[in-house]
Amino acid sequence: MKTFLLICCFLMLLSCGHQNTTNKTDAPEITTATVEEVSSETTDIVPDSLSNNTEDDVVESLNEIRFDGWGKSEWLDNDYIRAVRKYINEYLNGNICNPDLDEYKDVLKGKFVVYEILPYLAGGAFIYIIFYDNPKYIFASGVRSSVDEETREVYDYYCGGLRLQTSECDITQEEIKKAIDNDPELKLW
């Protein structure tokens, strides 16, 4: 699997896209995409560095190390998501200042489900979340991490913030509950 980047893993929760104009009715699914597909969608971020590997035939990105061997369960339960939960808790406790979130403070007090998670070209994961009690809002967060190339250890997860992506999602609490009931790997954070 080293010849291709495992670059994108989408979890489509149910009926709502991460853009205001999207109204999907498809069931949740996980798909993969190539670097070119992801790059064309996220051109405003700086690419993650490549490994310092000096072999001519193998150059591995740090995201390849970060997400090597990840399957559905790893994408739905990981330290990137935990970093988002920690960021939200720190914000709610007054330890982090983010004026963009102040009007959504009541929304952030609830639990969320991961709507979509994919490798972040700046190094780490980009995560879209929906709060169970207020599912019309989708929030987005980029979470970075460090990589020890020799040991292949991933550490120092850092949530760079949280922002509102859309407030026009048409998913309902019942749909979220049904998705969680049908897929034991989905959970509320």
Side-chain angles (χ1 to χ4, degrees):
M1 180 158 287
K2 293 205 183 225
T3 58
F4 296 102
L5 291 174
L6 174 60
I7 195 67
C8 182
C9 184
F10 295 99
L11 171 66
M12 304 309 286
L13 191 61
L14 282 174
S15 64
C16 176
H18 61 266
Q19 296 178 358
N20 293 351
T21 59
T22 306
N23 286 319
K24 296 182 181 178
T25 57
D26 298 332
E29 64 178 302
I30 291 183
T31 61
T32 59
T34 65
V35 176
E36 293 79 19
E37 290 169 334
V38 173
S39 296
S40 69
E41 294 176 9
T42 55
T43 57
D44 60 333
I45 57 178
V46 178
D48 191 18
S49 63
L50 293 178
S51 166
N52 292 324
N53 191 334
T54 58
E55 295 178 33
D56 291 334
D57 58 341
V58 178
V59 177
E60 188 174 42
S61 77
L62 297 180
N63 272 349
E64 282 183 292
I65 294 171
R66 286 179 180 101
F67 305 115
D68 183 39
W70 276 34
K72 181 179 178 183
S73 61
E74 288 82 11
W75 282 107
L76 295 177
D77 187 350
N78 59 66
D79 287 331
Y80 296 100
I81 302 168
R82 286 180 190 82
V84 173
R85 180 75 262 174
K86 181 179 177 184
Y87 179 91
I88 293 168
N89 291 345
E90 292 292 316
Y91 167 78
L92 292 172
N93 291 331
N95 300 326
I96 294 174
C97 179
N98 185 338
D100 295 334
L101 295 178
D102 289 347
E103 69 181 283
Y104 306 107
K105 197 166 197 166
D106 287 337
V107 174
L108 301 177
K109 290 179 181 177
K111 292 187 175 191
F112 67 83
V113 65
V114 173
Y115 172 72
E116 183 176 26
I117 181 171
L118 56 144
Y120 187 29
L121 291 181
F126 202 81
I127 305 169
Y128 296 92
I129 62 173
I130 298 174
F131 285 86
Y132 181 75
D133 292 329
N134 293 282
K136 74 177 188 172
Y137 300 103
I138 297 179
F139 291 85
S141 181
V143 181
R144 293 182 156 177
S145 62
S146 299
V147 175
D148 182 321
E149 294 177 58
E150 288 183 30
T151 65
R152 300 178 68 84
E153 178 187 1
V154 182
Y155 59 97
D156 285 341
Y157 296 85
Y158 172 75
C159 180
L162 187 72
R163 73 174 195 277
L164 180 68
Q165 184 70 26
T166 184
S167 61
E168 299 180 11
C169 183
D170 60 0
I171 195 168
T172 65
Q173 279 184 329
E174 293 77 25
E175 290 171 318
I176 294 172
K177 181 171 179 3
K178 183 177 178 180
I180 291 170
D181 290 344
N182 289 334
D183 187 347
E185 292 182 331
L186 285 176
K187 68 179 191 176
L188 293 172
W189 292 85

